Amino acid sequence: MRVMVIDAARRRTTTRAMAAMDDARVRATAVVDAHVARGALTTDDARTLRETIALGQAHLIADWPAPGVDDERKRAFVEEVRRADRGYPGGVAKYVSNARELLRASKEGKNPFEGWTPSVPTGKTVEYGSAAHEILEKIGMRETAETCFVLVAGGLGERLGYSGIKVALPVERATNACYLELYVKNILAMEKRAEGAEGAKNAGGCGCFGGGGAKAKSSTKIPLAIMTSEDTHALTLDLLERNDYFGASRDQITLMKQEKVPCLMDNDARLAVKDDDPYKLALKPHGHGDVHSLLHTSGLLSKWMSQGKKWVVFFQDTNSLVFRVIPGALGVSKTMNLEFNSLCVPRKAKEAVGAISLLTHEDGRKMTINVEYNQLDPLLRATTNPEGDVNDATGFSPFPGNINQLIVSLPEYAKQLKKTGGAIEEFVNPKYKDETKTAFKSPTRLECMMQDYPKSLGSKAKVGFTVFANWIGYSPVKNSPADGLAKFKSNGPTHTATSGEFEFYESCANLLRLAGADVPAAAVDAEFNGMKLPMGPRVVLGPDVATSFDELKSKVGAVKLGAKSALVVEGSGVNLKNVEVDGALVIKACEGAEVIVDGLKVTNKGWQWKPTGKGAPEVDALAGFVVKKNETAEYVFDKPGKYTLP
Ligand code: UTP
């Protein structure tokens, strides 16, 4: 009986909603007709609007004032609808129909992993600096000439709360190099070695990777594509222009702008307008999954194929360490013949990091894919492990933690994208007002993620992973000081500008240690933005110093650093044979300058990292410190030649 009552009430509500929609449709159609009759809109504009009305979007137009009022803004609205239509494969019609389907599934609480059982996929865990790693790096370095890089940098960065773009933030204060500079210079450093190897091969040499010299020819030029969005495009372009593309040639870097998608007000996928402007659609980023369709439609993939490239490496806007692990991971892709390789770090159970999992369906299908951490636990409980997401005997989850730096094999990728156009399975994540799931707290939108690409592949696709330790492969800057502090208090990684800078120094310091240098361990003796994080000697090894561990080892001898020392080395020609630093030492060598540092002892007042006070500039406030350079021993070699120090 009660059920009947609810059903009747629901029916009444639905009937009322349909009547309101009909009414809106009639009014919106009349509005369009009146505007065309008065010449306020063209017949083309009217067609666009009628199509929009037919998609259940009459509410966008029904309440427009009479022709003559806001005509310019109305025409701009039509343009925006057309832009949204062009920006989405299949146009707004497809977007709305996809949205309705996903919103229905979300309302019904459908489990996206129904019928799938997770297990640990095949991949490789690599210990940085081990003999196995050195072999993989050698193999990977041979692949770099045939590698293309793609930086996804269209994100809003809401969690960080920085007013600029993330790639313009300094990685560290010792040199103040920003993320984009670091990335471009790493690519150029790899390119130089590839060119050197090519030159040595042509000259009948051994093809080892210490070479340098002339700019790479087009065959060995390593391209970089950057995905931007309306929020980041102009600032990214400006950063490149102001810095002469950080030494890269202009045709080497391609910017691809992703369009935003319309926000959705309700389960009928009615589009939302901005709070303060009824003539502007509310738009939000569609997610980094757009990168696949953009690479396809921009023609870049075909271009790279015709250049004989073999690999595409995807990376994110703030991970200063990623280039340290790329050669080894490329080696894994090559030796395991992987068409899709996810770079990973060891994952603690329940950590908020996606898990790379092999999913097997009841019907026999298989896929290796990222499972979000909040989905992994219920999935494991429902299938293989009643305890859910737990550590194994190693103290870590058996599932590797996805850091979303991806390596794909270009020929298979380009072929697949020809078939799919780069469309990636979408998802929707509405925040409902209550358990009836009929209204949202705020408009939502469809999103897609680049790591979901393997969902479009068949069961036989070779998809795997490569795990490196956190210290050498993963240090993102995502969180504001306040959010970072909360994470610090709950003993989680803070992923702030503060930790990002410290981890960069520590990673370089650890590389020196591994190469045999005497570098004291990091200590916790200072507090920035309320966080006490370990900090050791501040070491910066510039991108061109070495692109592989083998190369680094050949350039590091008896190096001894004091606990609070700073050491900055830039240039591929610097060889630290014997050097002791208690203070701050900077050595910069230009292209063609070979500098043997043998018997140099530096003692000075060095540099201090000092907490920022109130009213500090935004960039300093994010990190919580500024650097006071008291005294520096600085050696700059700006002309090619052979030098010794002291
Ligand atoms: P994040 O998950 O860090 O998202 O993106 P975000 O949008 O940058 O930051 P929040 O969530 O608002 O705090 C991971 C990577 O994907 C890129 C980001 O720029 C970052 O490199 N991204 C994200 C895009 O390129 N486009 C998008 O639509 C979203």
Side-chain angles (χ1 to χ4, degrees), residues 152-159 166 227 258 285 287-288 316-317 478:
V152 289
L156 281 174
E158 273 173 333
R159 285 170 289 172
K166 287 187 267 178
M227 182 169 78
Q258 64 175 145
H288 41 57
Q316 305 200 6
D317 49 19
K478 282 179 185 287

